[in-house]
Amino acid sequence: MSSDAHSLRTILKQTKSAYAVAFACVVAFMGIGLVDPILPAIASKLNATPSQVSLLFTSYMLMTGITMLVTGWLSSRIGPKRTMLFGLLAIILFSFLGGMATSVNGIVWFRAGWGFGNAFFISTALAVIVSVASGGTASAIVLYEAAIGLGMSVGPLLGGLLGGISWRGPFFGVSVLMAIAFLAVFVLLKDLPKPTRRTSLLDPFRALRYPGLFTMAVTALLYNFGFFTLLAYSPFVLNMDEHSLGLVFFFWGIMLAITSVIVAPKLQDHFGSVPTLFAMLLLLAIDLAYMGFGVTSQTGLVIAIIIAGGILGIINTILTASVMDVAPVERAVASSAYSFVRFVGGAIAPWLAGKLSEVFTASIPFYAGALAVLISMLALFIGRRHLTEIK
């Protein structure tokens, strides 16, 4: 059987519990790209600068990263299902409040609350999918990445459609969809046993003492700098309306979904995870540098963004799979430690991209993103001897 057929069968033959969590993952990751098409509209309606509006991403990521440090602690005490439901409730509340906000600062704070809830959900979701999915860890990660890809692709499209009506529409849309996801998880996901050991608040920091996990976390931090520069800043230089921006990032997400589920496993099997990461990070740096060079070409930017989606899908899948294998700690602890570093460290990228464009030129943020990705390759190279557990 081909790897394509195996990946498809992995997704189609899963338990109801796995599907319920995967659906919630789709909606959760829709929230990342959902606001992308409406960033220029928010800036226009609320008289804000690109750097101010980009704080919607920064506050979201910063709070997500910080909260990751306590998600394992809570999950080990109340159980994974209740932790996920708590996170979903927080997203429902804060996305609704974001839609009701009357200032950029208000939206920024409510997006932070959204990130707070998202941390409890996504940090637990991967571990839950691994435990309830059929076919082992590899199959669970394929399902998880497929959900991420679908959410990333549908989010901007829905954001463009709802944003064409009002910039508030995407916020209310997420609130409704998350309510549906909450019911799906509540009804279909069976109660999972609490971990046999209660996690300490210090466990994620202790996990980072393992050189392999620390290497992957730093690599992901620098990679995320390029990722969120592209995601949060490019809408401001495309000069498109909400619907057009939604379509561009829809195709970006489609590419991300296809490569994460189909292409990434093939490249891992043929070349290995670390060599594939090196190659994809280099391609991403080149792509970002091209966007800086051709920042005045709308067509060139669109093509570069869609190509980047394919590159990002491969990198995301390999990073996720590698983190699960690289440290001899519980998956939830490894995920929390890794996510804390990459989200908190990458949180500055959206704001800095907007500020760089205001102080210098429109090209500089893309060059800065490309430089960060190149440095991520250096971090991966330095720590490569600690990654022998990765296939």
Side-chain angles (χ1 to χ4, degrees), residues 65-204:
I66 293 172
T67 308
M68 285 289 183
L69 294 174
V70 301
T71 56
W73 177 87
L74 182 66
S75 179
S76 67
R77 284 158 175 78
I78 68 173
K81 180 176 178 178
R82 290 180 180 177
T83 302
M84 289 175 61
L85 292 175
F86 173 72
L88 290 171
L89 278 176
I91 297 172
I92 293 168
L93 172 64
F94 287 109
S95 58
F96 178 81
L97 291 174
M100 297 291 290
T102 57
S103 67
V104 170
N105 287 338
I107 302 173
V108 168
W109 281 107
F110 291 132
R111 276 284 284 181
W114 188 339
F116 170 80
N118 206 50
F120 284 104
F121 173 75
I122 64 175
S123 67
T124 312
L126 178 56
V128 170
I129 285 183
V130 168
S131 65
V132 302
S134 60
T137 301
S139 296
I141 289 174
V142 168
L143 178 62
Y144 180 74
E145 290 297 334
I148 291 175
L150 184 59
M152 287 285 203
S153 60
V154 174
L157 185 63
L158 183 61
L161 292 173
L162 295 177
I165 301 171
S166 167
W167 67 262
R168 302 179 188 273
F171 292 92
F172 294 137
V174 165
S175 188
V176 171
L177 288 171
M178 271 302 180
I180 297 171
F182 178 92
L183 291 174
V185 171
F186 182 79
V187 174
L188 297 177
L189 179 63
K190 61 185 179 181
D191 283 323
L192 299 171
K194 298 177 185 177
T196 55
R197 185 182 74 87
R198 288 192 171 187
T199 300
S200 164
L201 290 174
L202 295 177
D203 281 353

Side-chain angles (χ1 to χ4, degrees), residues 5-308:
H6 176 71
S7 297
L8 183 60
R9 190 179 70 171
T10 293
I11 295 172
L12 295 178
K13 291 189 176 182
Q14 287 295 345
T15 63
K16 290 182 179 179
S17 295
Y19 282 135
V21 179
F23 172 71
C25 286
V26 170
V27 182
F29 282 94
M30 279 173 59
I32 296 177
L34 197 79
V35 299
D36 229 37
I38 60 171
L39 292 178
I42 292 176
S44 174
K45 298 289 185 183
L46 300 180
N47 298 316
T49 64
S51 61
Q52 288 176 313
V53 175
S54 294
L55 286 173
L56 270 70
F57 281 97
T58 294
S59 64
Y60 174 89
M61 292 174 62
L62 183 62
M63 183 57 73
T64 296
I66 293 172
T67 308
M68 285 289 183
L69 294 174
V70 301
T71 56
W73 177 87
L74 182 66
S75 179
S76 67
R77 284 158 175 78
I78 68 173
K81 180 176 178 178
R82 290 180 180 177
T83 302
M84 289 175 61
L85 292 175
F86 173 72
L88 290 171
L89 278 176
I91 297 172
I92 293 168
L93 172 64
F94 287 109
S95 58
F96 178 81
L97 291 174
M100 297 291 290
T102 57
S103 67
V104 170
N105 287 338
I107 302 173
V108 168
W109 281 107
F110 291 132
R111 276 284 284 181
W114 188 339
F116 170 80
N118 206 50
F120 284 104
F121 173 75
I122 64 175
S123 67
T124 312
L126 178 56
V128 170
I129 285 183
V130 168
S131 65
V132 302
S134 60
T137 301
S139 296
I141 289 174
V142 168
L143 178 62
Y144 180 74
E145 290 297 334
I148 291 175
L150 184 59
M152 287 285 203
S153 60
V154 174
L157 185 63
L158 183 61
L161 292 173
L162 295 177
I165 301 171
S166 167
W167 67 262
R168 302 179 188 273
F171 292 92
F172 294 137
V174 165
S175 188
V176 171
L177 288 171
M178 271 302 180
I180 297 171
F182 178 92
L183 291 174
V185 171
F186 182 79
V187 174
L188 297 177
L189 179 63
K190 61 185 179 181
D191 283 323
L192 299 171
K194 298 177 185 177
T196 55
R197 185 182 74 87
R198 288 192 171 187
T199 300
S200 164
L201 290 174
L202 295 177
D203 281 353
F205 294 105
R206 295 189 183 109
L208 289 171
R209 293 184 300 185
Y210 292 101
L213 181 60
F214 183 76
T215 296
M216 297 309 298
V218 172
T219 300
L221 182 163
L222 294 161
Y223 151 70
N224 262 16
F225 197 98
F227 181 114
F228 282 98
T229 294
L230 183 147
L231 192 62
Y233 174 67
S234 57
F236 291 103
V237 294
L238 282 172
N239 297 314
M240 292 179 170
D241 61 22
E242 293 87 347
H243 294 290
S244 299
L245 283 171
L247 282 173
V248 170
F249 283 96
F250 168 71
F251 288 111
W252 168 84
I254 288 293
M255 287 293 292
L256 187 147
I258 291 172
T259 57
S260 64
V261 175
I262 297 175
V263 180
K266 286 184 174 181
L267 293 177
Q268 278 181 288
D269 291 341
H270 192 72
F271 298 105
S273 295
V274 175
T276 302
L277 268 181
F278 274 119
M280 291 302 108
L281 289 170
L282 179 59
L283 288 177
L284 178 60
I286 293 171
D287 193 65
L288 285 166
Y290 169 78
M291 292 177 71
F293 180 77
V295 73
T296 57
S297 170
Q298 189 181 77
T299 301
L301 288 174
V302 169
I303 293 172
I305 289 169
I306 294 173
I307 290 173

